[in-house]
Amino acid sequence: MTLFKQMGLAVSLIIIIMLGAVMAINYQSAKQDMIQSLYETTVNNISTLTNKLAEASEDPALLVTTIDSEFDSGYYKMIDFKSNDGKSDYLQIDNDPVKDVPLWFINFTSIDLETVSADVSSGWSMVGVVSVAGDTGIIYKALYKMFINLLYIFVVSVISAQIVLAILLHFVLKPLYRVQNQAEAILKNEFVIQEKIPFTTEFKDVVYGMNAMVKKVEDIFNKGNEAAQRNKELLYNDPTTKLFNRRYLMLKLSDLIKAENKANGGTVMFVALSGAEVINQVLGRQKADDMFFELGDIFKDVCRKYEDKVLARVNGTEFTLMLPNCESQDANTIAQRILTRFDELVLAHELNQEDVFINLGLYRYKPTVNIGELLTRADNALTQAKADEAIHMYLYEEKDDENAMGKEQWRNVIEDSIANNYFSLKFWPTLNASTKNIDHKVMTFTIDGGENKKYFYGDFIAPAINLGLVSKMYIVTLKDLLVKPHKELDSSICSIRLSNEFIKDTKAFEELSLMFAKHAKSLNFKLFFEVTDNFAINNTAAVKNFVDLFAKYGFGFGINTFSGESSDYTYLKQLNPQFLKADCAFLLDQSQDSMSAIQVVTDSLSIKIIATFVKTKEELSTLQTMHINSVQGPVTDSIQKA
């Protein structure tokens, strides 16, 4: 229960008790006054009644008439006359219910009025005794009317008091609400500073303390962010062109040619500059560096549309442009633009085009290529480009493998699997090496459609992306995950690696929303989803929609293939991931300063770092010295067996 409700309830109870007590006292006081007044009236009236009865005592009929007449006046509940001789006894009593007064109120009020008696004398002779009781109906009616009025006043007073109390508490506790919002913002990695300081001393101290804490955490994040970027530039950026260096390219290549990231392959360009010595001699060192920086800008500009690109200067005169999903026709166009722009650059610096030029070797690779084949064939393409002194460019494109399945064959396999749900879910553990407990399980899936129809995820994801069937495929597997029981997930966390195409598909988002609304509450496990770091950087808004959807049901979010590519880590504050997954090779390649800076950023945002593709115990041991205990990869088998 919130503090507002607790305080409101406590004060409301006090108000209700006080108002109730005051009204109860008033009610009881009025009741006693009415009873006393009726008794006194009855006492005063009985003397008149005895005189009338004395005069009528000689005639029994007149006596009855007199009593009936007095009774009908409405002042009496009962008149009882007993004569001395017993011949003229007469009792008149009103047993009818009191009109307009409910029985429960009569039972609740329960008025006991004392009976008044007096002797009836005729001269010096005693005629009899008359006993009378006042009409309590008068009191019941008056009290009931008073009760209704008091109840009305009580209800109006309580409601008015509640409204006033709510308004007062709202203003009194308003600073506390801001503190609460500030605390909730911290959990979302948002650093909110309260500008309005409350007047209440206690709240003022709390606000000052919260502001100081938020500022401190924000400073830690900002300093870590700046340090991480400085170290990243030192480790992975060429200082002259601001492109990546060879070290970063070699770390990133394995991720770039993964099946789920390349769809239908891509193009790699090797660019070799001839005439670097001429540039330095003619322009001087500083202007030569400026020219190299402009060349880097040319590469960035012509390759702008490729989100997953890596542009690297691998040595003083050679550059590599890695462009996943770039077709040969587009690659040719990009190469021609580079040649044209470079010629313009040479002329702008008044250099001789025969002395200063570039050669471009292009290799259009297929999804089945490995790193060794990629580099060898791209290098061969560059050799061919250097041999052609007229064009300075050569494109090598592989022919389709005759044994490989064609586009329509893959379409049949994947559509058949979607229609009949031939997908088989697999769960791979992420372990905490220290506790040997499972941190979470990562879901992937295979196709198992019977004999000769079994395919691993890496086999079919590229053609599925190329055919536009990824979203349908994921919807089927996610429905399987949400609807069917999976004992291996009981009371655990399951993480799903959602493809980039699925995140971009608005229809897929709507279908997933409907599935969550229908099945999320019945799950016996917690759900997370993951996207690649590069995709999160370039599509933050789309990813944020999924983050909000998952958070609505208490689910989480993580980033995989983290490689510190962003120039600013504030996107992590926006997306608020619970973990970052980075390749073991990337983590072990960091300098001590660089790793410390990354961990300052992640610690300030409460983000866990998870190492992936950890193969050996030696790698695990090194990671643990860096305070990284959560791991994925072959090493998890040895951890579980130990």
Side-chain angles (χ1 to χ4, degrees):
M1 187 181 291
T2 63
L3 179 61
F4 179 90
K5 289 182 179 178
Q6 291 181 45
M7 291 183 66
L9 181 60
V11 176
S12 296
L13 285 174
I14 293 172
I15 291 172
I16 290 171
I17 291 171
M18 290 179 65
L19 280 173
V22 170
M23 291 187 176
I25 291 170
N26 287 337
Y27 176 80
Q28 289 298 329
S29 177
K31 176 182 174 182
Q32 294 303 321
D33 288 345
M34 289 181 186
I35 292 173
Q36 183 62 32
S37 177
L38 181 60
Y39 178 78
E40 291 175 357
T41 301
T42 304
V43 170
N44 292 333
N45 289 341
I46 198 170
S47 61
T48 304
L49 179 60
T50 55
N51 292 332
K52 291 181 179 181
L53 292 177
E55 294 176 358
S57 59
E58 297 298 331
D59 184 354
L62 182 60
L63 182 69
V64 170
T65 302
T66 301
I67 291 174
D68 288 343
S69 175
E70 287 296 318
F71 190 83
D72 291 340
S73 67
Y75 293 111
Y76 303 100
K77 175 73 175 176
M78 180 271 292
I79 299 177
D80 183 14
F81 176 75
K82 295 185 181 299
S83 64
N84 286 342
D85 56 10
K87 295 179 180 179
S88 303
D89 292 354
Y90 184 67
L91 173 63
Q92 181 66 283
I93 187 168
D94 183 6
N95 289 320
D96 294 336
V98 182
K99 291 182 180 180
D100 302 326
V101 179
L103 183 60
W104 64 265
F105 182 78
I106 293 173
N107 294 332
F108 169 74
T109 305
S110 184
I111 299 173
D112 293 322
L113 191 63
E114 185 179 349
T115 301
V116 180
S117 299
D119 296 333
V120 179
S121 301
S122 177
W124 296 100
S125 174
M126 183 78 167
V127 176
V129 177
V130 64
S131 298
V132 298
D135 186 4
T136 53
I138 300 173
I139 300 178
Y140 281 124
K141 290 179 180 179
L143 286 177
Y144 183 67
K145 185 177 181 181
M146 180 181 179
F147 174 80
I148 294 298
N149 290 335
L150 286 175
L151 183 63
Y152 175 77
I153 294 170
F154 176 80
V155 171
V156 171
S157 299
V158 169
I159 292 174
S160 301
Q162 291 277 15
I163 294 171
V164 173
L165 177 63
I167 294 171
L168 288 174
L169 286 178
H170 174 76
F171 284 103
V172 171
L173 298 179
K174 197 171 184 180
L176 193 58
Y177 297 146
R178 289 197 290 265
V179 171
Q180 181 182 0
N181 293 335
Q182 195 175 23
E184 290 173 352
I186 293 174
L187 295 177
K188 298 176 183 176
N189 297 328
E190 299 171 0
F191 304 128
V192 178
I193 300 294
Q194 284 199 52
E195 301 294 341
K196 193 172 182 179
I197 306 300
F199 295 105
T200 307
T201 303
E202 290 79 6
F203 287 156
K204 185 187 296 184
D205 293 340
V206 171
V207 169
Y208 280 137
M210 286 293 293
N211 281 349
M213 183 183 71
V214 170
K215 191 71 171 67
K216 185 176 181 179
V217 174
E218 186 175 25
D219 287 344
I220 291 172
F221 170 81
N222 289 335
K223 289 176 181 178
N225 191 13
E226 292 170 5
Q229 294 313 310
R230 285 196 302 270
N231 287 299
K232 173 203 158 190
E233 290 178 5
L234 291 173
L235 278 176
Y236 298 127
N237 285 79
D238 172 60
T240 303
T241 62
K242 304 305 178 183
L243 301 176
F244 291 115
N245 57 21
R246 179 184 179 83
R247 184 176 185 174
Y248 184 82
L249 175 68
M250 297 311 294
L251 279 174
K252 193 73 175 173
L253 270 181
S254 61
D255 178 57
L256 288 172
I257 62 174
K258 282 180 185 175
E260 59 264 37
N261 291 338
K262 64 191 177 185
N264 197 33
T267 301
V268 58
M269 298 185 188
F270 279 9
V271 183
L273 170 67
S274 293
E277 292 181 0
V278 174
I279 296 173
N280 281 313
Q281 289 173 359
V282 175
L283 300 181
R285 179 64 180 272
Q286 183 59 52
K287 289 188 177 180
D289 285 349
D290 292 342
M291 183 174 175
F292 276 104
F293 179 80
E294 291 177 74
L295 177 58
D297 276 350
I298 290 173
F299 295 149
K300 293 175 184 176
D301 187 44
V302 298
C303 302
R304 189 178 302 278
K305 76 174 185 177
Y306 292 98
E307 292 180 355
D308 297 332
K309 64 183 177 291
V310 171
L311 313 177
R313 185 182 186 182
V314 295
N315 60 40
T317 60
E318 293 186 348
F319 303 83
T320 298
L321 313 183
M322 190 72 185
L323 306 175
N325 297 317
C326 179
E327 300 289 348
S328 54
Q329 183 177 355
D330 202 13
N332 259 320
T333 302
I334 290 173
Q336 291 293 344
R337 290 180 64 194
I338 290 173
L339 287 169
T340 301
R341 295 277 296 273
F342 184 76
D343 287 343
E344 293 172 355
L345 182 63
V346 169
L347 293 174
H349 286 277
E350 299 180 352
L351 297 172
N352 191 329
Q353 289 178 296
E354 294 183 0
D355 297 329
V356 181
F357 56 89
I358 56 175
N359 293 295
L360 286 85
L362 285 67
Y363 169 48
R364 172 69 176 88
Y365 61 87
K366 295 294 181 181
T368 53
V369 73
N370 59 43
I371 293 177
E373 294 169 341
L374 181 87
L375 297 177
T376 299
R377 291 167 186 171
D379 192 55
N380 289 338
L382 180 61
T383 301
Q384 294 290 335
K386 289 179 179 179
D388 190 339
E389 296 181 358
I391 301 178
H392 299 294
M393 185 186 78
Y394 182 81
L395 170 66
Y396 172 62
E397 184 172 11
E398 289 181 333
K399 300 298 182 182
D400 291 333
D401 187 349
E402 293 181 1
N403 296 320
M405 288 176 59
K407 184 175 182 180
E408 291 307 313
Q409 288 176 296
W410 271 120
R411 183 189 298 277
N412 293 334
V413 169
I414 296 172
E415 288 184 343
D416 190 34
S417 299
I418 291 171
N420 298 288
N421 191 10
Y422 289 147
F423 299 107
S424 177
L425 305 189
K426 309 292 182 184
F427 304 97
W428 303 105
T430 296
L431 292 181
N432 186 303
S434 295
T435 63
K436 298 182 181 179
N437 293 327
I438 294 177
D439 188 15
H440 64 265
K441 296 178 181 179
V442 181
M443 188 199 90
T444 185
F445 51 93
T446 60
I447 290 178
D448 188 358
E451 191 175 352
N452 299 324
K453 288 187 178 181
K454 295 183 178 181
Y455 304 96
F456 292 108
Y457 182 83
D459 297 329
F460 58 79
I461 186 62
I465 292 172
N466 202 35
L467 292 166
L469 296 172
V470 172
S471 293
K472 291 182 179 179
M473 190 170 65
Y474 265 90
I475 287 295
V476 171
T477 55
L478 287 170
K479 188 174 183 179
D480 190 337
L481 177 67
L482 296 175
V483 175
K484 295 182 180 179
H486 300 278
K487 292 183 179 179
E488 61 267 54
L489 295 178
D490 285 354
S491 303
S492 65
I493 296 174
C494 176
S495 184
I496 311 164
R497 295 174 179 172
L498 294 181
S499 73
N500 300 348
E501 286 70 23
F502 186 84
I503 298 289
K504 290 179 179 178
D505 190 344
T506 54
K507 187 176 180 181
F509 179 87
E510 293 171 2
E511 290 191 52
L512 187 60
S513 300
L514 293 173
M515 277 199 291
F516 278 177
K518 189 174 182 180
H519 303 292
K521 292 182 180 179
S522 61
L523 293 181
N524 61 345
F525 59 89
K526 192 171 183 179
L527 202 58
F528 279 59
F529 82 101
E530 304 174 19
V531 297
T532 62
D533 184 44
N534 183 272
F535 184 80
I537 294 168
N538 293 293
N539 300 274
T540 304
V543 176
K544 186 68 166 63
N545 287 337
F546 276 81
V547 171
D548 293 341
L549 173 62
F550 273 67
K552 180 180 178 181
Y553 297 95
F555 301 153
F557 163 66
I559 287 177
N560 60 47
T561 61
F562 176 78
S563 56
E565 186 174 335
S566 177
S567 58
D568 187 355
Y569 291 148
T570 52
Y571 75 99
L572 295 178
K573 289 198 299 180
Q574 292 176 267
L575 298 178
N576 192 25
Q578 278 74 30
F579 58 78
L580 296 178
K581 292 183 177 179
D583 194 303
C584 174
F586 169 79
L587 295 173
L588 296 180
D589 189 60
Q590 302 302 299
S591 67
Q592 184 176 352
D593 288 342
S594 179
M595 195 66 225
S596 296
I598 291 174
Q599 287 178 321
V600 167
V601 171
T602 55
D603 288 347
S604 67
L605 300 177
S606 300
I607 300 172
K608 180 193 294 184
I609 296 177
I610 299 174
T612 58
F613 302 105
V614 184
K615 303 179 184 66
T616 66
K617 289 186 177 180
E618 289 73 19
E619 290 176 337
L620 175 60
S621 179
T622 305
L623 289 168
Q624 288 184 301
T625 63
M626 301 160 66
H627 307 290
I628 297 173
N629 291 303
S630 294
V631 294
Q632 289 179 190
V635 77
T636 56
D637 292 334
S638 61
I639 295 173
Q640 288 180 310
K641 291 176 182 177

